[in-house]
Amino acid sequence: MSDPQITTDLVRDLIADQFPQWTDLPAAPVAAFGWDNRTFHLGTQMSVRLPSATAYAAQVEKEQTWLPKLAPHLPQPIPKPLAKGCPSDAYPFEWSVMAWLPGDHPAHPTEGLASDLAAFLHALQHAPVTGGPGPGPHNFHRGGDLRIYDQEVRHCLDQLGSAVDQDAILRLWAKACHSNWTQAQVWLHGDVAVGNLLVQDNSLSAVIDFGCCAMGDPACDLTIAWTFFDQPTRAVFRDALNLDNDTWARARGWCLWKALLLITTGDAAGKNTINALLTDNTQDQLIARNA
């Protein structure tokens, strides 16, 4: 099946057909949306979220089921499902109507944001909500065993050759793959990135896009430490979460895997992330601070 062509006209037609009470509301694409879904404003108080391909279709039911259960236990708002659309001749997957969450994506790292996000993730990891989905194809194995991507990492390195520091990266990767999460599975977001954070008045105001959420190892939620935070804010983030060194090593591995994939596609952000990973001395700073 080819990926559906998702347009404003399609959204209007779907709303008119399945939720006629909202037919008169204007629909327009948001300024920026992620890869997994296409998102549209619906009036001023709602959004429409449609999976962009078969690989992401299962995320709709997951968000519809679990976000209302998680929301009461979190310090910032998360998306609130208002309705679930059905597959049709015009569009082959389930889709969601969500309450609109105001805010802007962070423009630069701050200690306040690092602290707020750490508190949010701590609350998510300790949310008393059981029975959630484990890692798997629905979330690209985030929260599971990092070694599932060993072959992919090595293939990327073969492609990149001397363009990256092979020895340093392989040492980092080996350390990341050395341990597993041995505690009870906890909730994880699965895609903690700048595009999924909203801020207002310099504070974290909401966390969005839980399509990759699951219960498992929270290491994958820490990659923003190197993709967005700088050395000072990374230290605040790490100190506030108070997770063990092995978890942070696995977090580096998750970050490394994605960064290598980006580099092979020509995305410069991947090189910046690799540099941040290889030059990070946060652990040494925290040991000195707490000595």
Side-chain angles (χ1 to χ4, degrees):
M1 178 188 298
S2 60
D3 295 344
Q5 298 299 308
I6 302 174
T7 65
T8 304
D9 286 342
L10 171 65
V11 172
R12 292 189 182 115
D13 290 344
L14 289 173
I15 292 295
D17 181 49
Q18 299 188 31
F19 303 107
Q21 68 271 31
W22 297 325
T23 298
D24 293 336
L25 295 176
V30 300
F33 42 71
W35 182 262
D36 298 5
N37 294 269
R38 301 291 180 262
T39 304
F40 294 76
H41 293 279
L42 183 62
T44 59
Q45 302 298 318
M46 292 183 287
S47 64
V48 179
R49 179 173 161 86
L50 303 98
S52 61
T54 304
Y56 315 120
Q59 297 178 1
V60 172
E61 180 63 30
K62 183 170 58 174
E63 288 189 322
Q64 292 272 339
T65 300
W66 295 103
L67 294 190
K69 298 177 181 180
L70 290 169
H73 307 289
L74 302 175
Q76 282 85 20
I78 62 176
K80 178 181 178 181
L82 301 177
K84 181 172 70 173
C86 298
S88 68
D89 291 340
Y91 179 74
F93 311 130
E94 293 181 330
W95 49 282
S96 293
V97 180
M98 301 281 201
W100 181 257
L101 289 169
D104 299 306
H105 299 309
H108 51 82
T110 66
E111 292 189 1
L113 177 61
S115 179
D116 288 348
L117 182 57
F120 179 91
L121 292 177
H122 182 271
L124 179 63
Q125 292 162 15
H126 292 83
V129 178
T130 59
H138 67 93
N139 75 339
F140 306 95
H141 305 282
R142 288 179 173 91
D145 190 338
L146 177 63
R147 288 169 290 189
I148 197 170
Y149 289 118
D150 182 70
Q151 185 175 354
E152 197 165 47
V153 165
R154 294 179 188 278
H155 178 67
C156 287
L157 290 174
D158 287 342
Q159 286 184 283
L160 293 169
S162 60
V164 296
D165 187 337
Q166 297 265 338
D167 290 342
I169 288 173
L170 284 171
R171 286 194 299 270
L172 187 155
W173 181 247
K175 187 173 182 179
C177 292
H178 181 70
S179 68
N180 289 302
W181 181 253
T182 58
Q183 303 177 44
Q185 290 190 332
V186 299
W187 277 99
L188 54 108
H189 178 277
D191 191 15
V192 179
V194 172
N196 293 329
L197 306 179
L198 298 177
V199 295
Q200 290 182 305
D201 299 325
N202 298 316
S203 296
L204 183 68
S205 62
V207 178
I208 61 176
D209 192 352
F210 279 71
C212 287
C213 71
M215 296 189 74
D217 176 5
C220 63
D221 274 354
L222 311 180
T223 59
I224 196 170
W226 302 279
T227 60
F228 181 65
F229 290 137
D230 55 17
Q231 194 74 51
T233 53
R234 188 181 306 133
V236 171
F237 183 61
R238 177 165 178 161
D239 196 32
L241 277 166
N242 194 31
L243 291 165
D244 62 88
N245 290 338
D246 282 345
T247 300
W248 283 100
R250 294 192 304 277
R252 285 187 174 89
W254 281 104
C255 194
L256 174 64
W257 160 68
K258 187 64 175 288
L260 289 173
L261 289 176
L262 289 175
I263 296 174
T264 61
T265 65
D267 190 328
K271 289 186 176 181
N272 293 336
T273 299
I274 293 291
N275 183 63
L277 284 165
L278 296 182
T279 59
D280 178 26
N281 65 349
T282 306
Q283 182 175 344
D284 294 338
Q285 285 186 343
L286 292 177
I287 290 173
R289 179 192 300 176
N290 296 322

